[in-house]
Amino acid sequence: MKLYDKILKPKEMTIANGKKVLEYRSRTPLILILILIATAISVKITGFDLSVLMKRGNEFFVILSKMFPPKTSYMPSVWKPLFDTIKMSLLGSVIGAVLAIPFAIIASSNIVKNRFILWVVRLFLSIVRTVPTLVSALIATYIFGLGTFAGMIAIAIFTFAYIGKQLFEQIETVDMGAYEAMEAMGANKLSAFTTAIVPQVLPAYLSTSLFCFEGNVRYAAILGYVGAGGLGLILNEKIGWRQYDNVGMILVMLFVTVIIIEVISHYLRKKLT
């Protein structure tokens, strides 16, 4: 940025006591130019064509209109995949949230002082978090076969990585006074942690886990596209057969389910905070 100051020289100002100070030029024009260049490159790479969007964009609303009114007679066929989706989301969220606890503790710089261990654990969490859920679900289907078990594994992996990061950041912001006092009194690290740190992070941890569960129900609905069971399987099938009224029924039931889960989750999270 020193080159920027050489091109656009700072403005010299004289304050009330006679002292001269420099007012540096805003970086906003430079940032806007960089964003415009990045956008232009993105348009070229992705092949974005506004004329195609204007010409074919209305087809989305044509398909959407065919979904309504939903075919209510198809409802009985949706219940089982819907419950499968909820079950694998719930179990995957619980397993991932529990597994994240020890890794989050080891990744907290105020608990573990060894920088190499911190780096290794945080790198591991970052790598796991980088893997898209659809990819991990696809790999799980190759290992464990088609079905909800593979979907549950994919959701557990995502939840583990997400909550692991959130939790170790929460642990690093707690007041360490009580923890250090207990250690000074002779308590071991585990006892000091459970007594002094856990009560401080537990509400946030549970709230984050519930929030993650909400999202997992939505993710689980599309995991069926790679054979991981649940609503995705029948969604893929009905869209392929152009049975949009059945697709509409599936989406309506998923929407109502997500709303119910969100209301319950919001109520519980409000009680925790």
PDB file of all heavy atoms in Angstrom, residues 234-256:
ATOM      1  N   ILE A 234     -36.465 -39.569  -3.439  1.00  0.00           N
ATOM      2  CA  ILE A 234     -37.730 -39.405  -4.156  1.00  0.00           C
ATOM      3  C   ILE A 234     -37.787 -38.064  -4.887  1.00  0.00           C
ATOM      4  O   ILE A 234     -38.450 -37.939  -5.916  1.00  0.00           O
ATOM      5  CB  ILE A 234     -38.952 -39.575  -3.215  1.00  0.00           C
ATOM      6  CG1 ILE A 234     -38.889 -38.616  -2.029  1.00  0.00           C
ATOM      7  CG2 ILE A 234     -39.075 -41.007  -2.740  1.00  0.00           C
ATOM      8  CD1 ILE A 234     -40.145 -38.641  -1.188  1.00  0.00           C
ATOM      9  N   LEU A 235     -37.099 -37.044  -4.363  1.00  0.00           N
ATOM     10  CA  LEU A 235     -37.036 -35.765  -5.077  1.00  0.00           C
ATOM     11  C   LEU A 235     -36.350 -35.949  -6.426  1.00  0.00           C
ATOM     12  O   LEU A 235     -36.835 -35.475  -7.464  1.00  0.00           O
ATOM     13  CB  LEU A 235     -36.241 -34.745  -4.238  1.00  0.00           C
ATOM     14  CG  LEU A 235     -37.022 -33.776  -3.359  1.00  0.00           C
ATOM     15  CD1 LEU A 235     -36.067 -32.905  -2.576  1.00  0.00           C
ATOM     16  CD2 LEU A 235     -37.962 -32.920  -4.179  1.00  0.00           C
ATOM     17  N   ASN A 236     -35.221 -36.639  -6.402  1.00  0.00           N
ATOM     18  CA  ASN A 236     -34.476 -36.906  -7.634  1.00  0.00           C
ATOM     19  C   ASN A 236     -35.328 -37.692  -8.633  1.00  0.00           C
ATOM     20  O   ASN A 236     -35.370 -37.395  -9.831  1.00  0.00           O
ATOM     21  CB  ASN A 236     -33.203 -37.680  -7.280  1.00  0.00           C
ATOM     22  CG  ASN A 236     -32.251 -37.753  -8.457  1.00  0.00           C
ATOM     23  OD1 ASN A 236     -32.338 -36.970  -9.390  1.00  0.00           O
ATOM     24  ND2 ASN A 236     -31.340 -38.705  -8.417  1.00  0.00           N
ATOM     25  N   GLU A 237     -36.031 -38.678  -8.108  1.00  0.00           N
ATOM     26  CA  GLU A 237     -36.857 -39.538  -8.961  1.00  0.00           C
ATOM     27  C   GLU A 237     -38.014 -38.747  -9.583  1.00  0.00           C
ATOM     28  O   GLU A 237     -38.253 -38.822 -10.798  1.00  0.00           O
ATOM     29  CB  GLU A 237     -37.404 -40.698  -8.130  1.00  0.00           C
ATOM     30  CG  GLU A 237     -38.312 -41.633  -8.893  1.00  0.00           C
ATOM     31  CD  GLU A 237     -38.957 -42.652  -7.958  1.00  0.00           C
ATOM     32  OE1 GLU A 237     -38.290 -43.066  -6.997  1.00  0.00           O
ATOM     33  OE2 GLU A 237     -40.125 -42.990  -8.185  1.00  0.00           O
ATOM     34  N   LYS A 238     -38.718 -37.975  -8.772  1.00  0.00           N
ATOM     35  CA  LYS A 238     -39.904 -37.254  -9.273  1.00  0.00           C
ATOM     36  C   LYS A 238     -39.529 -36.116 -10.220  1.00  0.00           C
ATOM     37  O   LYS A 238     -40.257 -35.827 -11.177  1.00  0.00           O
ATOM     38  CB  LYS A 238     -40.730 -36.713  -8.092  1.00  0.00           C
ATOM     39  CG  LYS A 238     -41.278 -37.803  -7.185  1.00  0.00           C
ATOM     40  CD  LYS A 238     -42.085 -38.818  -7.971  1.00  0.00           C
ATOM     41  CE  LYS A 238     -42.475 -40.011  -7.136  1.00  0.00           C
ATOM     42  NZ  LYS A 238     -43.123 -41.075  -7.943  1.00  0.00           N
ATOM     43  N   ILE A 239     -38.400 -35.441  -9.961  1.00  0.00           N
ATOM     44  CA  ILE A 239     -37.955 -34.391 -10.890  1.00  0.00           C
ATOM     45  C   ILE A 239     -37.551 -35.027 -12.212  1.00  0.00           C
ATOM     46  O   ILE A 239     -37.846 -34.504 -13.298  1.00  0.00           O
ATOM     47  CB  ILE A 239     -36.783 -33.590 -10.270  1.00  0.00           C
ATOM     48  CG1 ILE A 239     -37.289 -32.741  -9.107  1.00  0.00           C
ATOM     49  CG2 ILE A 239     -36.128 -32.695 -11.324  1.00  0.00           C
ATOM     50  CD1 ILE A 239     -36.209 -31.999  -8.356  1.00  0.00           C
ATOM     51  N   GLY A 240     -36.887 -36.178 -12.136  1.00  0.00           N
ATOM     52  CA  GLY A 240     -36.490 -36.880 -13.354  1.00  0.00           C
ATOM     53  C   GLY A 240     -37.683 -37.286 -14.204  1.00  0.00           C
ATOM     54  O   GLY A 240     -37.612 -37.235 -15.441  1.00  0.00           O
ATOM     55  N   TRP A 241     -38.788 -37.673 -13.566  1.00  0.00           N
ATOM     56  CA  TRP A 241     -40.000 -38.079 -14.287  1.00  0.00           C
ATOM     57  C   TRP A 241     -40.920 -36.892 -14.588  1.00  0.00           C
ATOM     58  O   TRP A 241     -42.042 -37.087 -15.067  1.00  0.00           O
ATOM     59  CB  TRP A 241     -40.768 -39.124 -13.472  1.00  0.00           C
ATOM     60  CG  TRP A 241     -40.117 -40.470 -13.490  1.00  0.00           C
ATOM     61  CD1 TRP A 241     -39.379 -41.044 -12.495  1.00  0.00           C
ATOM     62  CD2 TRP A 241     -40.129 -41.422 -14.571  1.00  0.00           C
ATOM     63  NE1 TRP A 241     -38.922 -42.275 -12.872  1.00  0.00           N
ATOM     64  CE2 TRP A 241     -39.376 -42.551 -14.151  1.00  0.00           C
ATOM     65  CE3 TRP A 241     -40.687 -41.437 -15.846  1.00  0.00           C
ATOM     66  CZ2 TRP A 241     -39.166 -43.662 -14.966  1.00  0.00           C
ATOM     67  CZ3 TRP A 241     -40.491 -42.541 -16.662  1.00  0.00           C
ATOM     68  CH2 TRP A 241     -39.738 -43.634 -16.212  1.00  0.00           C
ATOM     69  N   ARG A 242     -40.457 -35.683 -14.256  1.00  0.00           N
ATOM     70  CA  ARG A 242     -41.243 -34.450 -14.501  1.00  0.00           C
ATOM     71  C   ARG A 242     -42.592 -34.485 -13.777  1.00  0.00           C
ATOM     72  O   ARG A 242     -43.567 -33.902 -14.249  1.00  0.00           O
ATOM     73  CB  ARG A 242     -41.510 -34.239 -16.006  1.00  0.00           C
ATOM     74  CG  ARG A 242     -40.251 -34.211 -16.858  1.00  0.00           C
ATOM     75  CD  ARG A 242     -39.448 -32.930 -16.619  1.00  0.00           C
ATOM     76  NE  ARG A 242     -38.409 -32.764 -17.622  1.00  0.00           N
ATOM     77  CZ  ARG A 242     -37.176 -33.250 -17.543  1.00  0.00           C
ATOM     78  NH1 ARG A 242     -36.810 -33.947 -16.458  1.00  0.00           N
ATOM     79  NH2 ARG A 242     -36.298 -33.026 -18.491  1.00  0.00           N
ATOM     80  N   GLN A 243     -42.658 -35.147 -12.632  1.00  0.00           N
ATOM     81  CA  GLN A 243     -43.894 -35.195 -11.835  1.00  0.00           C
ATOM     82  C   GLN A 243     -43.841 -34.049 -10.810  1.00  0.00           C
ATOM     83  O   GLN A 243     -43.614 -34.268  -9.618  1.00  0.00           O
ATOM     84  CB  GLN A 243     -44.037 -36.559 -11.163  1.00  0.00           C
ATOM     85  CG  GLN A 243     -44.207 -37.693 -12.167  1.00  0.00           C
ATOM     86  CD  GLN A 243     -44.258 -39.061 -11.512  1.00  0.00           C
ATOM     87  OE1 GLN A 243     -43.980 -39.224 -10.317  1.00  0.00           O
ATOM     88  NE2 GLN A 243     -44.610 -40.082 -12.282  1.00  0.00           N
ATOM     89  N   TYR A 244     -44.014 -32.847 -11.314  1.00  0.00           N
ATOM     90  CA  TYR A 244     -43.794 -31.661 -10.484  1.00  0.00           C
ATOM     91  C   TYR A 244     -44.834 -31.493  -9.377  1.00  0.00           C
ATOM     92  O   TYR A 244     -44.553 -30.868  -8.352  1.00  0.00           O
ATOM     93  CB  TYR A 244     -43.763 -30.413 -11.366  1.00  0.00           C
ATOM     94  CG  TYR A 244     -42.596 -30.407 -12.332  1.00  0.00           C
ATOM     95  CD1 TYR A 244     -42.804 -30.397 -13.709  1.00  0.00           C
ATOM     96  CD2 TYR A 244     -41.289 -30.422 -11.865  1.00  0.00           C
ATOM     97  CE1 TYR A 244     -41.729 -30.406 -14.596  1.00  0.00           C
ATOM     98  CE2 TYR A 244     -40.213 -30.438 -12.735  1.00  0.00           C
ATOM     99  CZ  TYR A 244     -40.442 -30.430 -14.100  1.00  0.00           C
ATOM    100  OH  TYR A 244     -39.385 -30.455 -14.970  1.00  0.00           O
ATOM    101  N   ASP A 245     -46.056 -32.021  -9.593  1.00  0.00           N
ATOM    102  CA  ASP A 245     -47.048 -31.906  -8.504  1.00  0.00           C
ATOM    103  C   ASP A 245     -46.626 -32.750  -7.304  1.00  0.00           C
ATOM    104  O   ASP A 245     -46.829 -32.367  -6.143  1.00  0.00           O
ATOM    105  CB  ASP A 245     -48.443 -32.304  -8.995  1.00  0.00           C
ATOM    106  CG  ASP A 245     -48.441 -33.635  -9.709  1.00  0.00           C
ATOM    107  OD1 ASP A 245     -47.349 -34.195  -9.943  1.00  0.00           O
ATOM    108  OD2 ASP A 245     -49.532 -34.142 -10.023  1.00  0.00           O
ATOM    109  N   ASN A 246     -45.974 -33.906  -7.551  1.00  0.00           N
ATOM    110  CA  ASN A 246     -45.435 -34.707  -6.446  1.00  0.00           C
ATOM    111  C   ASN A 246     -44.252 -34.004  -5.780  1.00  0.00           C
ATOM    112  O   ASN A 246     -44.098 -34.045  -4.557  1.00  0.00           O
ATOM    113  CB  ASN A 246     -44.977 -36.074  -6.965  1.00  0.00           C
ATOM    114  CG  ASN A 246     -46.134 -36.963  -7.349  1.00  0.00           C
ATOM    115  OD1 ASN A 246     -47.263 -36.755  -6.897  1.00  0.00           O
ATOM    116  ND2 ASN A 246     -45.892 -37.956  -8.190  1.00  0.00           N
ATOM    117  N   VAL A 247     -43.422 -33.351  -6.616  1.00  0.00           N
ATOM    118  CA  VAL A 247     -42.293 -32.585  -6.070  1.00  0.00           C
ATOM    119  C   VAL A 247     -42.819 -31.477  -5.161  1.00  0.00           C
ATOM    120  O   VAL A 247     -42.270 -31.216  -4.085  1.00  0.00           O
ATOM    121  CB  VAL A 247     -41.439 -31.990  -7.214  1.00  0.00           C
ATOM    122  CG1 VAL A 247     -40.352 -31.076  -6.651  1.00  0.00           C
ATOM    123  CG2 VAL A 247     -40.805 -33.101  -8.040  1.00  0.00           C
ATOM    124  N   GLY A 248     -43.902 -30.830  -5.583  1.00  0.00           N
ATOM    125  CA  GLY A 248     -44.510 -29.786  -4.778  1.00  0.00           C
ATOM    126  C   GLY A 248     -44.954 -30.302  -3.414  1.00  0.00           C
ATOM    127  O   GLY A 248     -44.760 -29.641  -2.394  1.00  0.00           O
ATOM    128  N   MET A 249     -45.537 -31.523  -3.407  1.00  0.00           N
ATOM    129  CA  MET A 249     -45.982 -32.107  -2.130  1.00  0.00           C
ATOM    130  C   MET A 249     -44.786 -32.381  -1.211  1.00  0.00           C
ATOM    131  O   MET A 249     -44.838 -32.122   0.001  1.00  0.00           O
ATOM    132  CB  MET A 249     -46.723 -33.422  -2.422  1.00  0.00           C
ATOM    133  CG  MET A 249     -47.475 -33.985  -1.223  1.00  0.00           C
ATOM    134  SD  MET A 249     -48.869 -32.938  -0.751  1.00  0.00           S
ATOM    135  CE  MET A 249     -48.341 -32.298   0.812  1.00  0.00           C
ATOM    136  N   ILE A 250     -43.703 -32.884  -1.789  1.00  0.00           N
ATOM    137  CA  ILE A 250     -42.489 -33.165  -0.994  1.00  0.00           C
ATOM    138  C   ILE A 250     -41.937 -31.869  -0.395  1.00  0.00           C
ATOM    139  O   ILE A 250     -41.610 -31.805   0.794  1.00  0.00           O
ATOM    140  CB  ILE A 250     -41.412 -33.836  -1.882  1.00  0.00           C
ATOM    141  CG1 ILE A 250     -41.893 -35.196  -2.380  1.00  0.00           C
ATOM    142  CG2 ILE A 250     -40.104 -34.000  -1.107  1.00  0.00           C
ATOM    143  CD1 ILE A 250     -41.011 -35.800  -3.468  1.00  0.00           C
ATOM    144  N   LEU A 251     -41.876 -30.814  -1.225  1.00  0.00           N
ATOM    145  CA  LEU A 251     -41.309 -29.545  -0.746  1.00  0.00           C
ATOM    146  C   LEU A 251     -42.186 -28.899   0.324  1.00  0.00           C
ATOM    147  O   LEU A 251     -41.677 -28.310   1.282  1.00  0.00           O
ATOM    148  CB  LEU A 251     -41.121 -28.586  -1.933  1.00  0.00           C
ATOM    149  CG  LEU A 251     -40.071 -29.012  -2.961  1.00  0.00           C
ATOM    150  CD1 LEU A 251     -39.968 -27.984  -4.081  1.00  0.00           C
ATOM    151  CD2 LEU A 251     -38.709 -29.193  -2.299  1.00  0.00           C
ATOM    152  N   VAL A 252     -43.500 -29.018   0.162  1.00  0.00           N
ATOM    153  CA  VAL A 252     -44.405 -28.447   1.172  1.00  0.00           C
ATOM    154  C   VAL A 252     -44.210 -29.150   2.522  1.00  0.00           C
ATOM    155  O   VAL A 252     -44.114 -28.507   3.577  1.00  0.00           O
ATOM    156  CB  VAL A 252     -45.874 -28.564   0.710  1.00  0.00           C
ATOM    157  CG1 VAL A 252     -46.822 -28.305   1.869  1.00  0.00           C
ATOM    158  CG2 VAL A 252     -46.151 -27.586  -0.413  1.00  0.00           C
ATOM    159  N   MET A 253     -44.120 -30.490   2.483  1.00  0.00           N
ATOM    160  CA  MET A 253     -43.942 -31.238   3.745  1.00  0.00           C
ATOM    161  C   MET A 253     -42.578 -30.937   4.364  1.00  0.00           C
ATOM    162  O   MET A 253     -42.443 -30.830   5.580  1.00  0.00           O
ATOM    163  CB  MET A 253     -44.100 -32.738   3.481  1.00  0.00           C
ATOM    164  CG  MET A 253     -45.536 -33.121   3.121  1.00  0.00           C
ATOM    165  SD  MET A 253     -45.766 -34.871   2.835  1.00  0.00           S
ATOM    166  CE  MET A 253     -45.615 -35.524   4.485  1.00  0.00           C
ATOM    167  N   LEU A 254     -41.548 -30.794   3.520  1.00  0.00           N
ATOM    168  CA  LEU A 254     -40.217 -30.440   4.046  1.00  0.00           C
ATOM    169  C   LEU A 254     -40.238 -29.049   4.651  1.00  0.00           C
ATOM    170  O   LEU A 254     -39.669 -28.814   5.726  1.00  0.00           O
ATOM    171  CB  LEU A 254     -39.180 -30.516   2.915  1.00  0.00           C
ATOM    172  CG  LEU A 254     -37.759 -30.104   3.289  1.00  0.00           C
ATOM    173  CD1 LEU A 254     -37.187 -31.038   4.348  1.00  0.00           C
ATOM    174  CD2 LEU A 254     -36.856 -30.080   2.066  1.00  0.00           C
ATOM    175  N   PHE A 255     -40.911 -28.122   3.990  1.00  0.00           N
ATOM    176  CA  PHE A 255     -40.992 -26.744   4.479  1.00  0.00           C
ATOM    177  C   PHE A 255     -41.670 -26.699   5.850  1.00  0.00           C
ATOM    178  O   PHE A 255     -41.171 -26.054   6.783  1.00  0.00           O
ATOM    179  CB  PHE A 255     -41.775 -25.898   3.470  1.00  0.00           C
ATOM    180  CG  PHE A 255     -42.059 -24.501   3.934  1.00  0.00           C
ATOM    181  CD1 PHE A 255     -41.056 -23.541   3.953  1.00  0.00           C
ATOM    182  CD2 PHE A 255     -43.324 -24.145   4.364  1.00  0.00           C
ATOM    183  CE1 PHE A 255     -41.314 -22.264   4.399  1.00  0.00           C
ATOM    184  CE2 PHE A 255     -43.599 -22.863   4.807  1.00  0.00           C
ATOM    185  CZ  PHE A 255     -42.588 -21.915   4.829  1.00  0.00           C
ATOM    186  N   VAL A 256     -42.803 -27.401   5.968  1.00  0.00           N
ATOM    187  CA  VAL A 256     -43.525 -27.410   7.253  1.00  0.00           C
ATOM    188  C   VAL A 256     -42.651 -28.036   8.351  1.00  0.00           C
ATOM    189  O   VAL A 256     -42.582 -27.532   9.481  1.00  0.00           O
ATOM    190  CB  VAL A 256     -44.858 -28.189   7.108  1.00  0.00           C
ATOM    191  CG1 VAL A 256     -45.524 -28.358   8.468  1.00  0.00           C
ATOM    192  CG2 VAL A 256     -45.795 -27.470   6.153  1.00  0.00           C
TER     193      VAL A 256
END
